[in-house]
Structure formats: C-alpha cells, structure tokens
Amino acid sequence: MKHSIRNLLAAFALAAIPLAAPAWAETPAATTAVTERHLKPALWKVADADTTIYLFGTIHALPKGLVWLDGPVASALAESGELVTEIPDAPAAQQQQTVRAIGLLQGETLRSLMSDADRAAYEALLARLRIPAEAFDPLEPWLAGITLGVMPYAMAGYGADDGVEAVLRKVALAKGKKQGALETVEFQLGLFDKLPREAQLKFLGEAVRDFDKGSAIIGTMTEDWGKGDSDALARLLNDEMDDPDLAEALLYQRNRNWAAWIRKRLDQPGAVFVAVGAGHLAGAGSVQDVLKAQGIATSRVQ
C-alpha cells in the first residue's frame, strides 16, 4: 500500500526545516516520565590503507530516552577526526529565515491556488489544529505541505534537539572535532522549490488527507531504524517513491553525489564519520550500491 509521498518528503525535509507543533499539542515528554530504550541502528564503513569513512543513517528528529550512541557507533565517532552531516549546523531561527526566503509566494496566496474541494479539506484541518486559515497563505504549496508533514513529529514528542545530528554535533563540539557538510540548506530546499506547481499542490493535498496517518508511520520508521533493519526502511521510505523524477532528484542523484565525495575523501588519510538520512543508506541505489558499482566495498559494522 502506498502511503503517499508526504511522509517521505517530510522525512527528507526535516534536516532543513525546524519542527513546530500546533499550539494545543502537548508532547508526551511534557507529561510522562522518560524511559530509556537501547537501540542498535545500522553502521557501515569504507576503508583503505590509511582512511576510514563511517556511514551512519540518521533520523533527523527523535523522542527522548532513546540510547543509540554507544558500542560501535560511539567508538566510530570517537575514532573520527571529523563529523560530516547533510547540512551545516545553524540556529533554528537562521534556518527558518532561509526557509521563508525560498518558500514564499509572490503576488498569490496559497488558498487561491487550490480547488474548492482541496481548500475545504485544508481549512477544516487547520481549524482542527487551531491554526488560523490565513496562517499559511504566504507559503508556496511545498512549504505548507512540509510544515503540515512534520507536525506529527512534534505532536508525538519528536524533537530535532534529540535527533541524531543534534546529538552527534554536541559530542563532536565537546571533543573539538572538525565538522563539515555535504550540502547547504539552500540546496535542500531548492529541491522542493523546483517541483512543478501541480506536484506541489498534490503533495499538499496528500499532507492534508493523510495527516492522521503520520504518527503511525513515524513510529514504524523509528522502530526499523533502531533495529538496524535497512531493508524495512527501504520498503517504508524509498519504495514509496513512485515518481521517477522525484526519486532521482531527492534520492538517487544525491546518493551519487555523496558517493563521489566519499571516493575523493579516501585520498586523504584519517577517519571521518558521515551521518545522513537513513533512506540514503537503504535499498537499491543506496550510497553503498553506488560505491559497489565503482569497485569500492562497504562493510557492516553494526
């Protein structure tokens, strides 16, 4: 069963768009004692005589109480002199400023672009979320869709501060490690901004229609990630990409770009810890697949 592209796009976009819950939403973290759960997400490495590059799949936002930075993952990070993530670390306010600079309509309003039926469903959802109907009027459809798409994360108690990148960056900063990035926020958001208007409106409509399904899929994604089940993650995320152009732009071209970066980085000695969205390290066409086709082997560490 197809879940729609909404959950996949929202998962990719979490790296660049800060989470926001509706004003009425009370997260479990605020009312429930946190119980620790130990997870074992997947970790790979690429190595030659004098270079080791660890590849770690991430979830950009997580609930509190998940323990995953231990064992081989902690050892790999400790060994590495540099942490590389998808985008550079930046304050949420700065990221939001970039989002709005790219994602605002010019001379139009969001609701004026919708069909009557889509507009009615959209306004009904906003009313249920206690969000004024005009609140997202300045936003391009892709940004409104992503904003709705990431809300279930925040409502379920998932936060970017507890996400993998935030935890890794905190440790890297404390240990004085170098930090780098494979892309920029502008590049990531540009992937969505370049989508045809029709595709953006379809995405927004699916975000509205499937809003209540978000929390279940988020939970499944976290469980699969925590078990290191990359095959299940590929089925949940990558297999839902039934638009070839979208899959090429969001997933496969970026995997090839990152594989080229890894291949070049092998020319420099030392150890590097690369942390990217888990969907990029799962399924056919993954970063590992691209490297294998180029004669570079990866091995599973955890």
Side-chain angles (χ1 to χ4, degrees), residues 103-113 137-140 197:
L104 295 185
L105 290 165
Q106 301 294 328
E108 301 174 291
T109 62
L110 176 61
R111 284 181 292 165
S112 73
L113 306 177
D137 272 354
L139 305 185
E140 294 195 19
R197 177 64 59 82

Side-chain angles (χ1 to χ4, degrees), residues 3 7-8 27-28 40 60 65 86 91 94 117 131 151 160 166 169 172 180-182 184 198-199 206 221 252 284 294:
H3 298 297
N7 293 288
L8 179 60
T27 65
K40 290 190 175 297
H60 304 309
E86 291 184 27
Q94 180 180 330
I131 297 172
M151 278 185 184
R169 285 169 177 151
L182 297 167
T184 64
E198 182 180 351
E206 291 176 342
M221 180 173 65
Y252 300 122
Q294 298 172 354

Side-chain angles (χ1 to χ4, degrees), residues 178-213:
K178 182 180 177 182
Q179 296 193 44
L182 297 167
E183 297 173 344
T184 64
V185 174
E186 290 83 358
F187 173 82
Q188 285 200 354
L189 297 179
L191 296 172
F192 300 96
D193 195 48
K194 292 174 184 175
L195 291 173
R197 177 64 59 82
E198 182 180 351
Q200 293 186 32
L201 288 169
K202 179 183 177 183
F203 169 41
L204 175 57
E206 291 176 342
V208 172
R209 184 190 68 214
D210 295 341
F211 186 86
D212 292 326
K213 299 177 183 178

Side-chain angles (χ1 to χ4, degrees), residues 5 32-34 46 74 82 86 90 122 130 157 169 176 186 232 246 257 268 285 292-293 297:
I5 62 173
T32 306
V34 175
V46 179
E82 180 178 7
E86 291 184 27
Y122 168 79
R130 300 183 187 176
R169 285 169 177 151
E186 290 83 358
L246 194 63
N257 293 345
Q268 302 177 42
K292 181 179 180 180

